[in-house]
Amino acid sequence: MYKVSRQREWIYDYIQSHPDRHMSVEEIYEGLKAENREVSVATVYRNLKILQDENRIASLMLESGKQVFDKTCRPHDHLICTTCQRIFDLDMPYDRSIERKAEHQLHIPIESHSLVLYGTCTDCLQKKGKV
């Protein structure tokens, strides 16, 4: 159990106030700075780790190696737009059968999975005149 911290709550509230975004440490830091919140990058890193430990947020590692943070720990999948790189939460049933299939194939217990789909989002398709 961690001691309650004002900065941690700022970080959590900032993430929750942007439900349609998956933000990096730098984006969170810059957003808080724009709101005149006094935090260092190190404080943001440390408190994001604590928020994950408390199961209040989750993170997603992108192919680029960039880590982004998600407002929810509820198991769910994502779509990444191959044009604008925006990340979308998928509102579809979380399929635990994938974990069972992997357990059967690998003979090791699977705790969870993260499915990431890639495609072009509606906004980008509209910009290209394809919708």
Side-chain angles (χ1 to χ4, degrees), residues 76-114:
H76 63 285
D77 301 313
H78 296 92
L79 173 119
I80 298 177
C81 177
T82 55
T83 302
C84 69
Q85 305 306 306
R86 187 168 164 209
I87 303 167
F88 297 85
D89 288 332
L90 294 176
D91 186 20
M92 56 189 224
Y94 184 77
D95 187 359
R96 295 209 183 270
S97 70
I98 293 170
E99 295 160 17
R100 288 190 296 279
K101 289 174 187 173
E103 284 177 337
H104 181 72
Q105 180 180 355
L106 301 171
H107 307 288
I108 59 173
I110 304 296
E111 297 170 10
S112 67
H113 75 272
S114 176

Side-chain angles (χ1 to χ4, degrees), residues 9-33:
E9 291 311 306
W10 289 345
I11 294 164
Y12 180 75
D13 291 344
Y14 187 78
I15 293 169
Q16 295 302 311
S17 70
H18 296 84
D20 60 334
R21 294 186 53 206
H22 295 71
M23 295 177 280
S24 67
V25 169
E26 295 78 15
E27 290 169 313
I28 294 166
Y29 169 75
E30 290 298 329
L32 290 169
K33 197 165 94 173

